[in-house]
Every structure is written in C-alpha cells, then in structure tokens.
Amino acid sequence: MEKATRIKKIPPYLFAEIDKKREAAIKRGVDVISLGIGDPDLPTPGYIIESLYRSVQNPTNHQYPSYIGSLNFRKAVADWYRRRYNIELDPETEVMALIGSKEGIAHMFWAYIDPEDYALIPDPAYPVYKTGTIFAGGVPYIMPLRAENNFLPDLSAIGTEIAKKAKLMFLNYPNNPTAAVASLEFFQRVVDFARENNILVCHDSAYIDITFDGYKAPSILQAQGAKDVCVEFGSLSKPFNMTGWRIGYAVGNKEALANLAVIKTNIDSGQFNSIQDAAIDALKGPEDQINRMIEVYKKRRDLVVDTLKNIGIDIEKPKGTFYIWAPVPHGYTSAQFAEMLLEQTGVIVSPGNAYGNYGEGYFRISLTISEARLIEALERMKKYLKFK
Ligand SMILES: *Cc1c(COP(=O)(O)O)cnc(C)c1O
C-alpha cells in the first residue's frame, strides 16, 4: 500500500544514527548517560496526584469531557494569566483546553493552512511547527535564529511579498533548543508586524515559567493589540513535571480558538475531566513548588556552563528553559561531535541540526537528569575534551 505524500515529505529522523550507536554502546556494556531528552526527571508534585485521586472517584468524570475543556479549567487558566501577567481572558471564549500543547499546535495548521499557503517557521525549532505545516500541504518559510540576533527572527529579512502571503507565524520563547528569551518589546514588534500583514501569531510558551536569576518571561498577550492577532499555547508539562499527563491550553484570539475547536471536535473528544481537575489544582497550588524546581535546574545549569567554560566552550548562562545550547568544538559538525562524544564517553547530547539547518554547529544539553548523573557525564566530557 502506498503511503500518503505528506508522510514522505517529512524530513528524515536525525537521531537514527545516534540511536543505533547508543544501542551498540549499551550492548558493549557502556554506561550511557543521555543529556538528550527534554523531559523533567522530577516527579509530579504530590498535591496534584492527590487531586487526581479525588476527582477520579466521581462517576460524572468518567463520561466524555467537554471538547474545549471544563469551564472550571478554563477559569483556572484565566486566573493564572491575571495573577502572573495581569492579562484578562474571557474563560468562555479566550481559553481552551488541549491534550498537551503539542496537540493544539499540530492542529492549528489544519485550521489555517491550505495547500501552498505559507507559514513563517523559526529554525532551529521544535520540529512540530515545520512538520505541521507540511502535513497541511503548506510551505514552511524559514526564519533563521542566529546567535548575532540573540536567536530572535529578523522580521525585516522577511520580504514584503512573503509577509503578505503568510498566514501563520510560530514563535517559542523562552526557546527550545537555543534557551534564548524574548523581550516584551520584541513581542510588540511581532504583533505590529502581524497586524500589518494579517498574520496569526502562534506563540508556544512551554517554558515561560522556567526562568532564572530573577528574570520573568513575558506573555506575548502583554503586547498592545496582541489579542487581535495572537494565540499563546501553554502547557502544564514543564512547570509541573506533568509531561505524561497531557494537559495544556490555548489562549488569546477568540476566532482562532473557535477555528481550532472546529478541527478538534472532529478529531478528539477533549481531555479526561479528572486530569483537568488535577491541572486546576496545579495552577492554584503553592508557587514555591515552581521556585524549588527552578532552583534545581539553576544548579544544574551552572554546573554545565562552568564545565563547558573549563573545556573552552564559553557561553552565557541562559535566562530560561532547561536547555544549554552551545557551539561544538572547532572541526566538528554537530552530528560528528554528538557521535564522537557517544563513542568516546557514553554521553548523549542532541546535535543542533536535529532542530533545523540553522542549528548546525551547535549541540543541546538537557538539564532533566539527576545532579549525580549530570556530574558524571560532565566529568567524562571534561576528561576527554579538555586537552584535545
Ligand atoms: C515540551 C514542549 C512542548 C510540548 O508540550 P506538551 O504540552 O507536553 O505537548 C511544546 N513546545 C515545546 C517547544 C516544547 O519543548
């Protein structure tokens, strides 16, 4: 049976070679340490688990949930935005529950992209933006994220014709994989650009709560006029260590949310009510739990950045996310460096080009691993790389 063209158009899986080498290393008995996966190692806080236990006892929760999420969940998200960003959202029309933010991001393309339509996509980036565009038959127009622009897209480099033609723009700050952050002033320029060119901006805020050294990341909805042209995707996965639970939300422009809802009602049936109930308690819960988690990541961040410096890879400490994005040592491509590191030390890092062509020359370390294992990985890297 011939598979669909949309599958054939998906870029090759760049971790295939690394996966093979990892399997081989494990077979040889190597103690492999992966710094490649961005999935919190800390458990979901107890009060959220307790909340799920309670909610699941209620038989009304065993039936189909609302497609767009319970009103109580949507109210909890609106309260969260009021408290943290001073933004008013109408829970009835400006907030929607998602089965993880990835679900909403992937479906947004079906709501806006017809064959041959343009979407403005950052590179390097979370792969779903590009594959989502391709699945819908659209054309991803690449916005390079370059170190000299602090890994922000250069809006003036987008030609007028492309800008007029584009229907969507995707952004993600604090950024995966570069760990860069964006100022409210930058978001304001994006909103002005989008209003001028009639583009819907989709901001992926998965790491908005994971910031360091007193820095607080803005919501794009804090920019003037943002609700006219912006949707922000949020997730409980990263701030509450809930990646397995699959709960997120979309907020902002109500027409865009209504269009997304049309797609969703024809594909899924919403997230389990008890997971939404637990998520409500997560959002209402004590904020010091997020602060404690940030302290853990901060300690790991400092360990990695200090060690890299010692090896001769000098980067600034990132202000957000649980990633370290660093240039590979001279003479290697990203893939060569990642493969060499695995072969020689048993440590896995993500090659930068796995996130797009403009990620070439970099590697990504994820801080979602215990301090003991991280230190072990860093010791091995130091030993091997220091005098090369
Ligand atoms: C982890 C991640 C998400 C996915 O979040 P879910 O809510 O778990 O689907 C979205 N965007 C980026 C950039 C991520 O790294």
Side-chain angles (χ1 to χ4, degrees):
M1 200 82 81
E2 190 63 20
K3 65 187 172 194
T5 319
R6 71 175 64 85
I7 294 181
K8 294 184 205 156
K9 281 188 182 164
I10 294 301
Y13 178 60
L14 274 151
F15 291 100
E17 201 52 37
I18 291 256
D19 283 354
K20 247 190 269 165
K21 290 218 156 65
R22 185 191 56 202
E23 291 309 313
I26 289 170
K27 261 201 198 124
R28 287 201 307 275
V30 177
D31 172 27
V32 171
I33 305 176
S34 178
L35 307 180
I37 300 159
D39 189 351
D41 58 308
L42 303 169
T44 306
Y47 74 94
I48 302 172
I49 296 169
E50 292 297 331
S51 171
L52 178 76
Y53 283 160
R54 280 194 305 275
S55 174
V56 83
Q57 318 283 332
N58 179 351
T60 61
N61 288 335
H62 303 167
Q63 295 184 289
Y64 282 122
S66 151
Y67 287 110
I68 55 169
S70 71
L71 187 57
N72 281 340
F73 174 76
R74 288 179 281 138
K75 278 182 177 160
V77 173
D79 287 346
W80 177 259
Y81 265 77
R82 186 181 308 111
R83 212 165 68 228
R84 290 183 77 98
Y85 309 110
N86 200 23
I87 292 168
E88 288 299 325
L89 294 170
D90 177 359
E92 305 263 2
T93 57
E94 295 178 329
V95 183
M96 196 170 136
L98 299 171
I99 309 173
S101 63
K102 184 182 188 179
E103 176 265 301
I105 290 166
H107 282 143
M108 202 60 171
F109 297 98
W110 297 97
Y112 281 90
I113 297 296
D114 282 323
E116 310 305 325
D117 277 352
Y118 276 64
L120 305 174
I121 303 298
D123 179 333
Y126 187 57
V128 182
Y129 315 141
K130 190 171 180 185
T131 54
T133 308
I134 294 172
F135 274 160
V139 181
Y141 179 88
I142 297 301
M143 302 186 293
L145 304 186
R146 295 191 165 97
E148 61 262 36
N149 294 332
N150 301 314
F151 300 108
L152 299 170
D154 178 1
L155 300 178
S156 67
I158 302 164
T160 339
E161 215 166 295
I162 298 290
K164 290 283 170 220
K165 231 161 98 168
K167 294 177 85 177
L168 295 180
M169 177 193 286
F170 267 79
L171 292 175
N172 161 227
Y173 292 97
N175 183 260
N176 176 12
T178 69
V181 296
S183 64
L184 183 54
E185 183 262 322
F186 171 75
F187 282 153
Q188 188 63 59
R189 279 191 282 132
V190 168
V191 168
D192 295 345
F193 177 87
R195 285 164 64 100
E196 204 174 297
N197 294 293
N198 202 22
I199 293 169
L200 179 68
V201 178
C202 298
H203 180 238
D204 177 350
S205 71
Y207 297 94
I208 196 165
D209 305 299
I210 302 176
T211 57
F212 307 111
D213 310 326
Y215 171 76
K216 291 268 172 263
S219 158
I220 199 167
L221 296 184
Q222 287 171 305
Q224 296 292 327
K227 272 192 198 173
D228 295 341
V229 287
C230 294
V231 168
E232 189 155 74
F233 289 94
S235 176
L236 282 86
S237 288
K238 312 291 163 56
F240 298 103
N241 306 323
M242 291 174 76
T243 49
W245 296 57
R246 313 311 304 133
I247 183 78
Y249 49 83
V251 296
N253 183 269
K254 51 175 175 253
E255 287 82 28
L257 296 190
N259 291 331
L260 177 58
V262 173
I263 303 293
K264 277 177 60 60
T265 50
N266 284 286
I267 292 180
D268 66 64
S269 300
Q271 180 53 286
F272 183 28
N273 276 322
S274 297
I275 288 180
Q276 294 187 58
D277 284 347
I280 292 168
D281 283 326
L283 293 171
K284 285 186 174 160
E287 295 212 359
D288 63 326
Q289 111 71 29
I290 294 185
N291 295 335
R292 276 201 304 274
M293 174 196 67
I294 286 172
E295 283 310 307
V296 172
Y297 289 138
K298 177 175 142 56
K299 199 159 171 216
R300 296 174 184 175
R301 175 199 70 167
D302 293 348
L303 277 170
V304 173
V305 173
D306 293 345
T307 305
L308 291 180
K309 191 172 195 162
N310 198 275
I311 297 169
I313 302 174
D314 205 356
I315 56 159
E316 272 178 42
K317 289 180 177 167
K319 289 205 190 84
T321 77
F322 46 55
Y323 301 113
I324 302 295
W325 183 249
V328 297
H330 192 70
Y332 294 101
T333 66
S334 292
Q336 284 166 351
F337 178 68
E339 281 169 33
M340 180 280 295
L341 207 59
L342 173 54
E343 289 284 293
Q344 301 296 331
T345 70
V347 173
I348 295 179
V349 297
S350 303
N353 62 318
Y355 307 94
N357 292 335
Y358 290 89
E360 180 52 54
Y362 290 87
F363 65 100
R364 192 194 77 176
I365 284 177
S366 172
L367 303 174
T368 52
I369 183 167
S370 74
E371 206 176 303
R373 291 295 275 168
L374 185 61
I375 288 170
E376 163 72 20
L378 293 171
E379 284 301 319
R380 291 189 207 169
M381 285 173 70
K382 200 154 78 181
K383 232 193 233 157
Y384 184 70
L385 289 168
K386 188 148 187 192
F387 301 107
K388 284 195 81 77

